């Protein structure tokens, strides 16, 4: 009988996160103060984050212990299964071996609780009363709302207007966990009011919602802190539990990946599965190809320049060197809501710059097509974001077929699409269109970037 899934017992769950900063051949470029353009220190971030997370953000320790209380929560759904996609392989008639790590088994349905839980924990430890955050499609907001409920924190979520209107079920989930959800741009903050004054009908963007949440935290006098669901170094580190588990599970399968594929919005689920394998590659003999797949409509990694930029629209955040489409970027209303951020994690941008990873952009119709193929073969409806990883894995499997190569492909199925069925309805009704982010827009984004000497 073919083995279908590789499961690790709770006792074998990794008890440390992997920190790539210990092994980078060149360190990350410094993060700069938005006013002075000088490298920032821990004190600059203290109004926004608890000290433990600030330390993790800049740590060069290779492994960081996962606190006992966080492990306890993780164990509700971890270790997550690694599946061998036998039926998909047969459907594609490929000699490739396809494996996927399934993060959709978390209570919120994606990888996001892997970082929401430790973020809530460290904030609670440091006496914070409330967390403010933004959410696009609602996956991050619902994960943080859940984590806040576990640790007795209040949770204030600024939800991008277009999703707030289109995704009532994600909003209901956040409210069920006890969070307060506000459509962004909102009249509650200066940043929101500034946008509304110019564009009363603004559909919002992650960049605007981040400005609102950051403003709420920064002006709270310390009782409210801010939480971000992707992009930051500590967030990517929390996600490495995915790859650490996958290493052990593939060992059970007696295989090692020739290719690893992940989708990239801000870069966290991609980094989570990839970084532990990249460490193994840098240590020695493994030659794994690592592929990031992003939406053609928001192509930060493939088309955005590597430059210093703000993390938000109102320019409240520090300046980070990253592949960016510009902090003013307002994406078209296509459906992979979680992949609509203007920038890419500094770590992922840096790895691209070092040629340690490949990147490609895919239009959404090809991604939905791949997602439905996957669903019919494997029975899991992927989140629209995850369809980009499915597309990348299927394309690699088809290349293997054409070349007659039995390579091993691993991809991250970072979430299920049960709250995204409207997107599938629209796709099946032929209502979705491809959209390529125009070159002129990219040029305009470039023009709006801060001038760092
Ligand atoms: C948030 C989200 C993403 C995008 O964020 P990353 O930080 O790039 O992982 C992708 N897929 C799902 C299912 C998400 O919830």
């Amino acid at each position: 009988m073919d083995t279908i899934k590789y499961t690790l017992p709770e006792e074998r769950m990794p008890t440390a996160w992997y920190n790539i900063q210990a092994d980078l051949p060149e360190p990350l470029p410094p993060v700069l103060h938005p006013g002075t353009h000088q490298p920032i220190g821990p004190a600059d971030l203290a109004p926004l984050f608890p000290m433990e997370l600030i330390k993790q953000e800049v740590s060069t320790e290779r492994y960081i212990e996962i606190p006992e209380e966080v492990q306890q929560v993780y164990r509700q759904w971890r270790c997550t299964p690694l599946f061998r996609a036998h039926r998909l392989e047969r459907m594609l008639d490929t000699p490739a071996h396809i494996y996927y790590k399934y993060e959709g088994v978390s209570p919120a349905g994606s990888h996001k609780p892997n970082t929401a839980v430790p973020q809530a924990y460290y904030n609670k430890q440091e006496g914070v009363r409330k967390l403010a955050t933004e959410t696009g499609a609602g996956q991050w907001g619902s994960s943080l709302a859940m984590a806040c409920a576990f640790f007795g924190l209040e949770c204030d979520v600024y939800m991008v207007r277009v999703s707030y209107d289109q995704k009532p079920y994600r909003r209901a989930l956040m409210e069920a966990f006890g969070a307060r959800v506000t459509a962004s741009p909102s009249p509650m903050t200066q940043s929101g009011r500034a946008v509304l004054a110019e564009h009363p009908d603004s559909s919002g963007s992650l960049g605007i919602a981040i400005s609102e949440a950051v403003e709420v935290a920064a002006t709270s006098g310390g009782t409210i802190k801010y939480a971000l669901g992707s992009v930051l170094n500590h967030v990517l580190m929390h996600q490495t539990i995915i790859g650490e588990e996958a290493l052990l599970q593939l060992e059970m399968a007696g295989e090692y990946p020739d290719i690893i594929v992940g989708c990239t919005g801000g870069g966290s689920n991609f980094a989570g599965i990839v970084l532990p394998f990249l460490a193994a590659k840098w240590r020695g003999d493994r030659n794994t190809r690592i592929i990031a797949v992003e939406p053609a409509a928001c192509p930060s990694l493939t088309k955005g320049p590597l430059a210093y930029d703000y993390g938000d629209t109102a320019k409240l955040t520090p300046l980070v060197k990253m592949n960016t489409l510009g902090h003013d970027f307002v994406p078209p209303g296509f459906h992979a809501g979680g992949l609509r951020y203007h920038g890419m994690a500094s770590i992922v941008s840096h790895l691209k710059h070092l040629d340690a990873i490949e990147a490609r952009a895919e239009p959404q119709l090809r991604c939905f097509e791949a997602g439905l193929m996957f669903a019919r073969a494997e029975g899991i409806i992927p989140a629209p974001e995850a369809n980009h990883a499915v597309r990348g894995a299927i394309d690699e499997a088809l290349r293997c077929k054409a070349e007659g190569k039995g390579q091993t492909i691993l991809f991250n199925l970072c979430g299920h699409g049960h709250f995204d069925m409207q997107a599938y309805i629209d796709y099946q009704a032929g209502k979705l269109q491809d959209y390529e982010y125009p070159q002129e827009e990219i040029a305009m984004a470039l023009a709006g970037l801060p001038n760092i000497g």
Side-chain angles (χ1 to χ4, degrees):
M1 289 289 271
D2 292 334
T3 304
I4 302 291
K5 65 180 184 299
Y6 297 87
T7 48
L8 291 165
E10 263 176 61
E11 319 81 80
R12 288 198 67 199
M13 187 181 82
T15 56
W17 296 298
Y18 169 62
N19 180 13
I20 188 89
Q21 291 195 75
D23 293 319
L24 289 173
E26 281 173 36
L28 292 173
V31 173
L32 304 181
H33 190 281
T36 65
H37 294 185
Q38 293 304 305
I40 58 163
D44 295 307
L45 292 174
L48 297 186
F49 302 108
M51 203 38 77
E52 196 52 43
L53 290 176
I54 295 171
K55 282 193 209 150
Q56 291 182 3
E57 190 64 17
V58 296
S59 170
T60 51
E61 249 177 89
R62 184 164 289 116
Y63 289 98
I64 293 183
E65 281 299 310
I66 305 173
E68 196 58 51
E69 292 87 339
V70 173
Q71 290 188 36
Q72 194 65 34
V73 178
Y74 273 2
R75 282 182 194 165
Q76 186 181 344
W77 68 92
R78 309 211 71 85
C79 304
T80 63
L82 176 81
F83 289 99
R84 170 88 185 264
H86 290 289
R87 283 189 301 268
L88 181 64
E89 290 169 19
R90 284 199 287 273
M91 183 189 270
L92 299 172
D93 188 25
T94 175
H97 294 184
I98 307 174
Y99 291 87
Y100 58 97
K101 182 76 168 149
Y102 185 40
E103 289 295 308
V105 295
S106 82
S110 76
H111 62 289
K112 297 251 173 42
N114 296 334
T115 186
V117 171
Q119 289 194 47
Y121 168 77
Y122 290 121
N123 274 288
K124 182 68 181 184
Q125 285 283 303
E126 294 183 29
V128 173
R129 176 174 62 82
K130 184 194 279 197
L131 289 181
T133 198
E134 73 293 327
T135 198
Q139 282 145 331
W140 169 241
S142 47
S143 301
L144 192 69
M146 179 191 82
C148 285
F150 289 168
F151 291 106
L153 287 163
E154 293 171 48
C155 185
D156 220 348
V157 183
Y158 290 84
M159 186 173 191
V160 176
R161 165 59 77 181
V162 60
S163 301
Y164 184 91
D165 293 334
Q166 284 176 1
K167 297 203 152 186
Y169 297 128
R170 275 280 169 199
R171 183 179 6 135
L173 185 58
M174 290 183 257
E175 287 167 350
F177 287 134
R180 187 181 71 166
V181 185
T182 306
S184 167
S186 82
M188 322 271 291
T189 65
Q190 224 171 18
S191 324
R193 287 190 295 272
V195 176
L196 288 173
E198 252 191 79
H199 308 283
D201 299 325
S202 169
S203 58
S205 72
L206 273 176
I208 296 167
I210 292 173
S211 295
E212 294 204 83
V214 165
E215 182 185 323
V216 166
T219 57
S220 73
T223 57
I224 307 177
K225 300 260 173 182
Y226 168 68
L228 186 60
S230 183
V231 179
L232 298 175
N233 303 339
H234 67 265
V235 176
L236 272 56
M237 187 186 72
H238 297 156
Q239 295 296 351
T240 59
I241 189 153
I242 302 171
E244 290 293 332
E245 286 178 6
L247 272 166
L248 299 173
Q249 288 163 311
L250 280 168
E251 200 175 283
M252 289 167 75
E255 300 231 48
Y256 199 86
D258 298 298
I259 298 151
I260 309 179
V261 183
C263 68
T264 48
S268 74
N269 89 83
F270 169 77
I273 195 159
V274 149
L275 298 184
F277 288 91
L278 190 58
K281 181 173 174 175
W282 281 344
R283 273 198 304 273
D285 44 20
R286 301 293 193 177
N287 198 18
T288 306
R289 277 176 63 209
I290 296 173
I291 304 171
V293 187
E294 63 181 5
C298 185
S300 55
L301 203 51
T302 53
K303 294 217 173 133
L306 180 61
Y308 274 101
D309 197 6
Y310 300 95
D312 72 318
T313 305
K315 309 185 196 178
L316 302 176
T317 72
L319 291 161
V320 177
K321 196 162 189 188
M322 58 183 173
N323 289 94
T324 179
L325 297 170
H327 54 271
D328 293 326
F329 174 72
V330 176
F334 70 98
H335 270 291
L339 302 183
R340 284 189 288 198
Y341 187 58
H342 66 273
M344 181 52 57
S346 181
I347 287 176
V348 175
S349 301
H350 192 59
L351 292 175
K352 171 85 184 338
H353 170 69
L354 295 173
D355 277 332
I357 62 170
E358 302 168 32
R360 53 178 81 149
E362 290 292 347
Q364 69 172 354
L365 296 184
R366 288 195 82 230
C367 294
F368 275 100
E369 178 199 37
L372 282 187
M373 266 161 90
F374 180 84
R376 285 166 197 178
E378 298 295 313
I380 299 171
I381 286 272
E385 297 86 352
N387 283 341
H388 294 75
V390 176
R391 180 76 258 171
I394 287 179
D395 285 345
E396 286 302 312
L398 292 174
R399 180 192 54 74
C400 286
K401 177 180 176 178
E403 297 175 359
K405 283 192 184 149
Q407 293 186 317
T408 299
I409 300 167
L410 168 67
F411 76 93
N412 197 12
L413 188 64
C414 50
H416 66 62
H418 296 173
F419 288 93
D420 303 285
M421 295 314 295
Q422 189 60 48
Y424 281 93
I425 291 172
D426 292 347
Y427 173 69
Q428 302 238 66
K431 285 189 193 158
L432 296 188
Q433 289 167 6
D434 280 337
Y435 175 86
E436 191 142 351
Y437 195 57
Q439 207 59 47
E440 312 84 75
E441 294 275 337
I442 294 168
M444 268 169 62
L446 260 170
L449 290 177
N451 199 352
I452 308 297

